[in-house]
Amino acid sequence: MEILIAGGAGFIGSNLTEFHLNRKDEVTIIDNLITGNNKNIESFVNKNLVKFIKADIVDYDYDELPTFDIVYHLASPASPIQYKKYPQETLITNSFGTKKLLDFFVKSHSGSFVISSTSEVYGDPLVHPQPETYWGNVNPVGIRSCYDEAKRFAEALVMVYFRKYKINLRVARIFNTYGPNMEKNDGRVVSNFIIQALSNHPITIYGDGNQTRSFCYVSDMVKGLYGLASRKNLAGEIINLGNPVEKSIKEMATLIKELTGSDSPIVFEKIDQDDPKKRKPDINKAQKKLGWNPEIPLTEGLKKTISYFKERFL
Ligand code: UDP
């Protein structure tokens, strides 16, 4: 199969690239490397296993591209630190960039289109766990809104194209994901805690640590994305992908400290505006429509992630 991955040099995108290469698919990546990292894909690029186009999806000339079986749109800053650093780029990529990719998809008569949306569309949720039918509780002008509203706009645009052209568009609402190819400095809780624990620096909990998240190992996420792209009769569907095992941030700090054998103290720092108090996906729809279930338990996934950080950064 011919696969296009916009954002293929990023954390999830590069894992998805590897997944498709293992299936012997032909992969083309477009990435401007604003938050993606060359290192994630250089072994594939050096061996000519992927075609890498260093470009911004907003102004790339798509006429040069062929028809694809699957187009994945994962191009966007995605960690809070990154989208707060690049708020305009985040808004523009998810609006104009999404439009450009959708226009290319229509014109090229490609097979299926999957866009990465996010659990952030639910904001600081008042419904728990979050099903796809929940409309969310989002501050439209807060510091997270550049991401939340960008993704909500992207979803709205996808649904407009779906209704207008009756084409094969699918939306993945991705919940917190972790694993190899996370960036050291992207500020996510798993990467921060592992790096802090391994270097015996204080483990920084923001707020009281009672806020919760539900963490999905990246190999499970990639299988879910492929299931969403390849299963029949899912045009116009929006599906949560994530691991519903919920943990408090305090529990995560203790677990990572234990798994790394670290002597780091745990310290409490100020929490940022609009940090969601809890988050857990309702994955009934993914289970039914994709036959998908996350398989990697948290402890196993964290051990693999700790090994990755030791190998790549220490
Ligand atoms: N967090 C923390 N310490 C850190 C980084 C994050 O306590 O060093 C908290 C953060 O405030 C949030 C949760 O961990 O409540 C998850 O943060 P992350 O940035 O990974 O993603 P989010 O789910 O907020 O998008």
PDB file of all heavy atoms in Angstrom, residues 78-80 83 120 144 176 187-190 192-193 196 204-207 211 213 215 249 271-272 275-276 279, ligand 1:
ATOM      1  N   ALA A  78       1.926  19.013  19.543  1.00  0.00           N
ATOM      2  CA  ALA A  78       0.906  18.252  20.286  1.00  0.00           C
ATOM      3  C   ALA A  78       1.104  18.233  21.796  1.00  0.00           C
ATOM      4  O   ALA A  78       0.186  17.863  22.523  1.00  0.00           O
ATOM      5  CB  ALA A  78       0.837  16.824  19.742  1.00  0.00           C
ATOM      6  N   SER A  79       2.282  18.578  22.284  1.00  0.00           N
ATOM      7  CA  SER A  79       2.415  18.592  23.749  1.00  0.00           C
ATOM      8  C   SER A  79       2.146  20.013  24.238  1.00  0.00           C
ATOM      9  O   SER A  79       2.398  20.982  23.507  1.00  0.00           O
ATOM     10  CB  SER A  79       3.807  18.117  24.170  1.00  0.00           C
ATOM     11  OG  SER A  79       4.730  19.187  24.116  1.00  0.00           O
ATOM     12  N   PRO A  80       1.631  20.153  25.476  1.00  0.00           N
ATOM     13  CA  PRO A  80       1.298  21.500  25.960  1.00  0.00           C
ATOM     14  C   PRO A  80       2.450  22.501  25.827  1.00  0.00           C
ATOM     15  O   PRO A  80       2.250  23.632  25.387  1.00  0.00           O
ATOM     16  CB  PRO A  80       0.907  21.257  27.424  1.00  0.00           C
ATOM     17  CG  PRO A  80       0.346  19.862  27.418  1.00  0.00           C
ATOM     18  CD  PRO A  80       1.181  19.106  26.419  1.00  0.00           C
ATOM     19  N   TYR A  83       2.694  23.411  21.985  1.00  0.00           N
ATOM     20  CA  TYR A  83       1.670  24.267  21.370  1.00  0.00           C
ATOM     21  C   TYR A  83       1.578  25.624  22.047  1.00  0.00           C
ATOM     22  O   TYR A  83       1.148  26.596  21.433  1.00  0.00           O
ATOM     23  CB  TYR A  83       0.322  23.556  21.189  1.00  0.00           C
ATOM     24  CG  TYR A  83      -0.414  23.019  22.399  1.00  0.00           C
ATOM     25  CD1 TYR A  83      -0.984  23.849  23.345  1.00  0.00           C
ATOM     26  CD2 TYR A  83      -0.591  21.651  22.550  1.00  0.00           C
ATOM     27  CE1 TYR A  83      -1.688  23.339  24.429  1.00  0.00           C
ATOM     28  CE2 TYR A  83      -1.300  21.122  23.630  1.00  0.00           C
ATOM     29  CZ  TYR A  83      -1.843  21.970  24.571  1.00  0.00           C
ATOM     30  OH  TYR A  83      -2.539  21.464  25.635  1.00  0.00           O
ATOM     31  N   GLU A 120      -8.183  16.668  24.059  1.00  0.00           N
ATOM     32  CA  GLU A 120      -8.303  18.082  24.443  1.00  0.00           C
ATOM     33  C   GLU A 120      -9.590  18.713  23.912  1.00  0.00           C
ATOM     34  O   GLU A 120      -9.989  19.772  24.389  1.00  0.00           O
ATOM     35  CB  GLU A 120      -7.106  18.882  23.937  1.00  0.00           C
ATOM     36  CG  GLU A 120      -5.850  18.738  24.782  1.00  0.00           C
ATOM     37  CD  GLU A 120      -5.919  19.460  26.123  1.00  0.00           C
ATOM     38  OE1 GLU A 120      -6.483  20.553  26.206  1.00  0.00           O
ATOM     39  OE2 GLU A 120      -5.416  18.891  27.100  1.00  0.00           O
ATOM     40  N   ARG A 144      -4.591  27.037  26.487  1.00  0.00           N
ATOM     41  CA  ARG A 144      -4.647  25.781  25.744  1.00  0.00           C
ATOM     42  C   ARG A 144      -5.514  25.900  24.491  1.00  0.00           C
ATOM     43  O   ARG A 144      -5.607  24.969  23.710  1.00  0.00           O
ATOM     44  CB  ARG A 144      -5.230  24.672  26.633  1.00  0.00           C
ATOM     45  CG  ARG A 144      -4.265  24.135  27.657  1.00  0.00           C
ATOM     46  CD  ARG A 144      -4.894  22.990  28.440  1.00  0.00           C
ATOM     47  NE  ARG A 144      -3.938  22.430  29.376  1.00  0.00           N
ATOM     48  CZ  ARG A 144      -3.442  21.200  29.319  1.00  0.00           C
ATOM     49  NH1 ARG A 144      -3.835  20.347  28.407  1.00  0.00           N
ATOM     50  NH2 ARG A 144      -2.559  20.776  30.199  1.00  0.00           N
ATOM     51  N   ASN A 176      -3.793  10.648  25.981  1.00  0.00           N
ATOM     52  CA  ASN A 176      -2.367  10.655  26.333  1.00  0.00           C
ATOM     53  C   ASN A 176      -1.662   9.374  25.899  1.00  0.00           C
ATOM     54  O   ASN A 176      -2.104   8.268  26.229  1.00  0.00           O
ATOM     55  CB  ASN A 176      -2.197  10.818  27.857  1.00  0.00           C
ATOM     56  CG  ASN A 176      -2.686  12.174  28.331  1.00  0.00           C
ATOM     57  OD1 ASN A 176      -3.886  12.461  28.267  1.00  0.00           O
ATOM     58  ND2 ASN A 176      -1.783  13.013  28.780  1.00  0.00           N
ATOM     59  N   GLY A 187       8.014  18.350  27.543  1.00  0.00           N
ATOM     60  CA  GLY A 187       7.282  18.754  28.743  1.00  0.00           C
ATOM     61  C   GLY A 187       6.151  17.833  29.144  1.00  0.00           C
ATOM     62  O   GLY A 187       5.441  18.114  30.108  1.00  0.00           O
ATOM     63  N   ARG A 188       5.971  16.743  28.419  1.00  0.00           N
ATOM     64  CA  ARG A 188       4.898  15.825  28.802  1.00  0.00           C
ATOM     65  C   ARG A 188       5.251  15.158  30.128  1.00  0.00           C
ATOM     66  O   ARG A 188       6.421  15.003  30.475  1.00  0.00           O
ATOM     67  CB  ARG A 188       4.717  14.742  27.734  1.00  0.00           C
ATOM     68  CG  ARG A 188       4.038  15.232  26.470  1.00  0.00           C
ATOM     69  CD  ARG A 188       3.851  14.053  25.529  1.00  0.00           C
ATOM     70  NE  ARG A 188       2.929  14.340  24.469  1.00  0.00           N
ATOM     71  CZ  ARG A 188       3.298  14.573  23.198  1.00  0.00           C
ATOM     72  NH1 ARG A 188       4.570  14.560  22.862  1.00  0.00           N
ATOM     73  NH2 ARG A 188       2.394  14.814  22.282  1.00  0.00           N
ATOM     74  N   VAL A 189       4.227  14.714  30.820  1.00  0.00           N
ATOM     75  CA  VAL A 189       4.477  14.212  32.169  1.00  0.00           C
ATOM     76  C   VAL A 189       5.365  12.967  32.151  1.00  0.00           C
ATOM     77  O   VAL A 189       6.277  12.838  32.977  1.00  0.00           O
ATOM     78  CB  VAL A 189       3.148  13.984  32.926  1.00  0.00           C
ATOM     79  CG1 VAL A 189       2.311  12.856  32.325  1.00  0.00           C
ATOM     80  CG2 VAL A 189       3.404  13.732  34.385  1.00  0.00           C
ATOM     81  N   VAL A 190       5.142  12.049  31.216  1.00  0.00           N
ATOM     82  CA  VAL A 190       5.916  10.802  31.225  1.00  0.00           C
ATOM     83  C   VAL A 190       7.389  11.096  30.916  1.00  0.00           C
ATOM     84  O   VAL A 190       8.287  10.629  31.627  1.00  0.00           O
ATOM     85  CB  VAL A 190       5.331   9.772  30.227  1.00  0.00           C
ATOM     86  CG1 VAL A 190       6.253   8.575  30.076  1.00  0.00           C
ATOM     87  CG2 VAL A 190       3.954   9.310  30.700  1.00  0.00           C
ATOM     88  N   ASN A 192       9.007  14.012  31.194  1.00  0.00           N
ATOM     89  CA  ASN A 192       9.595  14.798  32.289  1.00  0.00           C
ATOM     90  C   ASN A 192       9.976  13.904  33.463  1.00  0.00           C
ATOM     91  O   ASN A 192      11.101  13.952  33.957  1.00  0.00           O
ATOM     92  CB  ASN A 192       8.595  15.841  32.797  1.00  0.00           C
ATOM     93  CG  ASN A 192       8.705  17.159  32.047  1.00  0.00           C
ATOM     94  OD1 ASN A 192       9.366  17.239  31.031  1.00  0.00           O
ATOM     95  ND2 ASN A 192       8.031  18.184  32.549  1.00  0.00           N
ATOM     96  N   PHE A 193       9.029  13.081  33.911  1.00  0.00           N
ATOM     97  CA  PHE A 193       9.282  12.271  35.112  1.00  0.00           C
ATOM     98  C   PHE A 193      10.421  11.273  34.881  1.00  0.00           C
ATOM     99  O   PHE A 193      11.255  11.053  35.763  1.00  0.00           O
ATOM    100  CB  PHE A 193       8.004  11.525  35.535  1.00  0.00           C
ATOM    101  CG  PHE A 193       6.969  12.403  36.217  1.00  0.00           C
ATOM    102  CD1 PHE A 193       7.163  13.762  36.372  1.00  0.00           C
ATOM    103  CD2 PHE A 193       5.789  11.842  36.720  1.00  0.00           C
ATOM    104  CE1 PHE A 193       6.198  14.571  36.994  1.00  0.00           C
ATOM    105  CE2 PHE A 193       4.829  12.634  37.352  1.00  0.00           C
ATOM    106  CZ  PHE A 193       5.026  14.005  37.488  1.00  0.00           C
ATOM    107  N   GLN A 196      13.736  13.231  34.751  1.00  0.00           N
ATOM    108  CA  GLN A 196      14.061  13.724  36.092  1.00  0.00           C
ATOM    109  C   GLN A 196      14.520  12.567  36.979  1.00  0.00           C
ATOM    110  O   GLN A 196      15.521  12.670  37.694  1.00  0.00           O
ATOM    111  CB  GLN A 196      12.831  14.408  36.708  1.00  0.00           C
ATOM    112  CG  GLN A 196      12.493  15.735  36.037  1.00  0.00           C
ATOM    113  CD  GLN A 196      11.075  16.230  36.336  1.00  0.00           C
ATOM    114  OE1 GLN A 196      10.210  15.477  36.767  1.00  0.00           O
ATOM    115  NE2 GLN A 196      10.841  17.517  36.078  1.00  0.00           N
ATOM    116  N   THR A 204       8.805  16.782  39.256  1.00  0.00           N
ATOM    117  CA  THR A 204       7.951  17.965  39.430  1.00  0.00           C
ATOM    118  C   THR A 204       6.483  17.650  39.188  1.00  0.00           C
ATOM    119  O   THR A 204       6.060  17.491  38.039  1.00  0.00           O
ATOM    120  CB  THR A 204       8.380  19.075  38.440  1.00  0.00           C
ATOM    121  OG1 THR A 204       8.369  18.505  37.114  1.00  0.00           O
ATOM    122  CG2 THR A 204       9.770  19.597  38.745  1.00  0.00           C
ATOM    123  N   ILE A 205       5.713  17.587  40.262  1.00  0.00           N
ATOM    124  CA  ILE A 205       4.259  17.439  40.109  1.00  0.00           C
ATOM    125  C   ILE A 205       3.645  18.836  40.078  1.00  0.00           C
ATOM    126  O   ILE A 205       3.919  19.649  40.959  1.00  0.00           O
ATOM    127  CB  ILE A 205       3.676  16.629  41.291  1.00  0.00           C
ATOM    128  CG1 ILE A 205       4.142  15.173  41.207  1.00  0.00           C
ATOM    129  CG2 ILE A 205       2.148  16.729  41.317  1.00  0.00           C
ATOM    130  CD1 ILE A 205       3.605  14.280  42.322  1.00  0.00           C
ATOM    131  N   TYR A 206       2.836  19.108  39.062  1.00  0.00           N
ATOM    132  CA  TYR A 206       2.145  20.401  38.988  1.00  0.00           C
ATOM    133  C   TYR A 206       0.814  20.274  39.740  1.00  0.00           C
ATOM    134  O   TYR A 206       0.033  19.365  39.468  1.00  0.00           O
ATOM    135  CB  TYR A 206       1.898  20.815  37.548  1.00  0.00           C
ATOM    136  CG  TYR A 206       3.152  20.894  36.687  1.00  0.00           C
ATOM    137  CD1 TYR A 206       3.102  20.697  35.317  1.00  0.00           C
ATOM    138  CD2 TYR A 206       4.399  21.173  37.263  1.00  0.00           C
ATOM    139  CE1 TYR A 206       4.253  20.765  34.526  1.00  0.00           C
ATOM    140  CE2 TYR A 206       5.553  21.234  36.482  1.00  0.00           C
ATOM    141  CZ  TYR A 206       5.475  21.028  35.129  1.00  0.00           C
ATOM    142  OH  TYR A 206       6.615  21.083  34.351  1.00  0.00           O
ATOM    143  N   GLY A 207       0.576  21.204  40.663  1.00  0.00           N
ATOM    144  CA  GLY A 207      -0.645  21.135  41.476  1.00  0.00           C
ATOM    145  C   GLY A 207      -0.476  20.082  42.558  1.00  0.00           C
ATOM    146  O   GLY A 207       0.653  19.759  42.973  1.00  0.00           O
ATOM    147  N   GLN A 211      -4.877  15.225  39.901  1.00  0.00           N
ATOM    148  CA  GLN A 211      -5.454  15.188  38.548  1.00  0.00           C
ATOM    149  C   GLN A 211      -5.091  13.843  37.906  1.00  0.00           C
ATOM    150  O   GLN A 211      -4.046  13.268  38.219  1.00  0.00           O
ATOM    151  CB  GLN A 211      -4.976  16.386  37.703  1.00  0.00           C
ATOM    152  CG  GLN A 211      -3.527  16.372  37.250  1.00  0.00           C
ATOM    153  CD  GLN A 211      -2.589  17.059  38.225  1.00  0.00           C
ATOM    154  OE1 GLN A 211      -2.768  16.970  39.427  1.00  0.00           O
ATOM    155  NE2 GLN A 211      -1.557  17.727  37.711  1.00  0.00           N
ATOM    156  N   ARG A 213      -4.865  11.124  34.405  1.00  0.00           N
ATOM    157  CA  ARG A 213      -4.765  10.909  32.958  1.00  0.00           C
ATOM    158  C   ARG A 213      -4.799   9.388  32.754  1.00  0.00           C
ATOM    159  O   ARG A 213      -4.594   8.609  33.679  1.00  0.00           O
ATOM    160  CB  ARG A 213      -3.448  11.463  32.388  1.00  0.00           C
ATOM    161  CG  ARG A 213      -3.281  12.978  32.484  1.00  0.00           C
ATOM    162  CD  ARG A 213      -4.248  13.734  31.584  1.00  0.00           C
ATOM    163  NE  ARG A 213      -3.956  15.171  31.554  1.00  0.00           N
ATOM    164  CZ  ARG A 213      -4.445  16.060  32.408  1.00  0.00           C
ATOM    165  NH1 ARG A 213      -5.254  15.688  33.390  1.00  0.00           N
ATOM    166  NH2 ARG A 213      -4.138  17.346  32.282  1.00  0.00           N
ATOM    167  N   PHE A 215      -3.027   6.513  30.221  1.00  0.00           N
ATOM    168  CA  PHE A 215      -1.862   6.499  29.329  1.00  0.00           C
ATOM    169  C   PHE A 215      -1.839   5.276  28.421  1.00  0.00           C
ATOM    170  O   PHE A 215      -1.901   4.137  28.891  1.00  0.00           O
ATOM    171  CB  PHE A 215      -0.580   6.547  30.170  1.00  0.00           C
ATOM    172  CG  PHE A 215      -0.438   7.826  30.946  1.00  0.00           C
ATOM    173  CD1 PHE A 215      -0.886   7.905  32.262  1.00  0.00           C
ATOM    174  CD2 PHE A 215       0.110   8.959  30.363  1.00  0.00           C
ATOM    175  CE1 PHE A 215      -0.771   9.085  32.988  1.00  0.00           C
ATOM    176  CE2 PHE A 215       0.221  10.141  31.074  1.00  0.00           C
ATOM    177  CZ  PHE A 215      -0.220  10.204  32.389  1.00  0.00           C
ATOM    178  N   ILE A 249      -1.576  11.743  38.742  1.00  0.00           N
ATOM    179  CA  ILE A 249      -0.198  12.155  38.424  1.00  0.00           C
ATOM    180  C   ILE A 249       0.733  11.806  39.593  1.00  0.00           C
ATOM    181  O   ILE A 249       1.887  11.440  39.391  1.00  0.00           O
ATOM    182  CB  ILE A 249      -0.176  13.665  38.065  1.00  0.00           C
ATOM    183  CG1 ILE A 249      -1.001  13.897  36.775  1.00  0.00           C
ATOM    184  CG2 ILE A 249       1.231  14.202  37.921  1.00  0.00           C
ATOM    185  CD1 ILE A 249      -0.612  13.046  35.566  1.00  0.00           C
ATOM    186  N   ILE A 271       0.415  24.772  39.168  1.00  0.00           N
ATOM    187  CA  ILE A 271      -0.224  24.180  37.982  1.00  0.00           C
ATOM    188  C   ILE A 271      -0.665  25.282  37.033  1.00  0.00           C
ATOM    189  O   ILE A 271      -1.024  26.381  37.475  1.00  0.00           O
ATOM    190  CB  ILE A 271      -1.421  23.281  38.412  1.00  0.00           C
ATOM    191  CG1 ILE A 271      -1.828  22.347  37.273  1.00  0.00           C
ATOM    192  CG2 ILE A 271      -2.596  24.109  38.902  1.00  0.00           C
ATOM    193  CD1 ILE A 271      -2.639  21.160  37.736  1.00  0.00           C
ATOM    194  N   ASP A 272      -0.597  24.988  35.717  1.00  0.00           N
ATOM    195  CA  ASP A 272      -0.934  25.988  34.702  1.00  0.00           C
ATOM    196  C   ASP A 272      -2.461  26.122  34.555  1.00  0.00           C
ATOM    197  O   ASP A 272      -3.219  25.241  34.966  1.00  0.00           O
ATOM    198  CB  ASP A 272      -0.314  25.567  33.359  1.00  0.00           C
ATOM    199  CG  ASP A 272       0.334  26.749  32.665  1.00  0.00           C
ATOM    200  OD1 ASP A 272       0.105  27.896  33.097  1.00  0.00           O
ATOM    201  OD2 ASP A 272       1.067  26.521  31.683  1.00  0.00           O
ATOM    202  N   ASP A 275      -5.641  23.265  33.245  1.00  0.00           N
ATOM    203  CA  ASP A 275      -5.133  21.889  33.218  1.00  0.00           C
ATOM    204  C   ASP A 275      -6.300  20.962  33.591  1.00  0.00           C
ATOM    205  O   ASP A 275      -6.865  21.076  34.680  1.00  0.00           O
ATOM    206  CB  ASP A 275      -4.003  21.783  34.262  1.00  0.00           C
ATOM    207  CG  ASP A 275      -3.154  20.549  34.089  1.00  0.00           C
ATOM    208  OD1 ASP A 275      -3.741  19.448  34.055  1.00  0.00           O
ATOM    209  OD2 ASP A 275      -1.924  20.674  34.002  1.00  0.00           O
ATOM    210  N   PRO A 276      -6.709  20.064  32.681  1.00  0.00           N
ATOM    211  CA  PRO A 276      -7.880  19.219  32.987  1.00  0.00           C
ATOM    212  C   PRO A 276      -7.684  18.398  34.272  1.00  0.00           C
ATOM    213  O   PRO A 276      -6.608  17.871  34.507  1.00  0.00           O
ATOM    214  CB  PRO A 276      -7.975  18.306  31.760  1.00  0.00           C
ATOM    215  CG  PRO A 276      -7.316  19.068  30.660  1.00  0.00           C
ATOM    216  CD  PRO A 276      -6.203  19.831  31.321  1.00  0.00           C
ATOM    217  N   ARG A 279      -9.181  12.726  33.101  1.00  0.00           N
ATOM    218  CA  ARG A 279      -9.332  12.364  31.693  1.00  0.00           C
ATOM    219  C   ARG A 279      -9.234  10.848  31.562  1.00  0.00           C
ATOM    220  O   ARG A 279      -8.295  10.233  32.062  1.00  0.00           O
ATOM    221  CB  ARG A 279      -8.234  13.031  30.876  1.00  0.00           C
ATOM    222  CG  ARG A 279      -8.390  12.781  29.402  1.00  0.00           C
ATOM    223  CD  ARG A 279      -7.255  13.368  28.628  1.00  0.00           C
ATOM    224  NE  ARG A 279      -7.292  14.806  28.524  1.00  0.00           N
ATOM    225  CZ  ARG A 279      -6.209  15.545  28.324  1.00  0.00           C
ATOM    226  NH1 ARG A 279      -5.036  14.994  28.251  1.00  0.00           N
ATOM    227  NH2 ARG A 279      -6.321  16.849  28.199  1.00  0.00           N
TER     228      ARG A 279
HETATM  229  N1  UDP B   1       2.489  17.345  34.759  1.00  0.00           N
HETATM  230  C1  UDP B   1       3.177  17.365  35.967  1.00  0.00           C
HETATM  231  N2  UDP B   1       4.529  17.498  35.929  1.00  0.00           N
HETATM  232  C2  UDP B   1       5.235  17.610  34.775  1.00  0.00           C
HETATM  233  C3  UDP B   1       4.522  17.583  33.543  1.00  0.00           C
HETATM  234  C4  UDP B   1       3.141  17.459  33.585  1.00  0.00           C
HETATM  235  O1  UDP B   1       2.587  17.253  37.051  1.00  0.00           O
HETATM  236  O2  UDP B   1       6.477  17.723  34.839  1.00  0.00           O
HETATM  237  C5  UDP B   1       1.015  17.176  34.804  1.00  0.00           C
HETATM  238  C6  UDP B   1       0.247  18.236  34.033  1.00  0.00           C
HETATM  239  O3  UDP B   1       0.008  19.365  34.857  1.00  0.00           O
HETATM  240  C7  UDP B   1      -1.016  17.480  33.667  1.00  0.00           C
HETATM  241  C8  UDP B   1      -0.558  16.034  33.512  1.00  0.00           C
HETATM  242  O4  UDP B   1       0.702  15.951  34.179  1.00  0.00           O
HETATM  243  O5  UDP B   1      -1.955  17.542  34.730  1.00  0.00           O
HETATM  244  C9  UDP B   1      -0.380  15.602  32.062  1.00  0.00           C
HETATM  245  O6  UDP B   1       0.401  16.562  31.418  1.00  0.00           O
HETATM  246  P1  UDP B   1       0.937  16.425  29.938  1.00  0.00           P
HETATM  247  O7  UDP B   1       1.687  17.684  29.644  1.00  0.00           O
HETATM  248  O8  UDP B   1       1.687  15.156  29.765  1.00  0.00           O
HETATM  249  O9  UDP B   1      -0.343  16.327  28.986  1.00  0.00           O
HETATM  250  P2  UDP B   1      -1.860  16.858  29.038  1.00  0.00           P
HETATM  251  O10 UDP B   1      -2.657  15.657  29.371  1.00  0.00           O
HETATM  252  O11 UDP B   1      -1.998  17.923  30.078  1.00  0.00           O
HETATM  253  O12 UDP B   1      -2.093  17.349  27.664  1.00  0.00           O
END
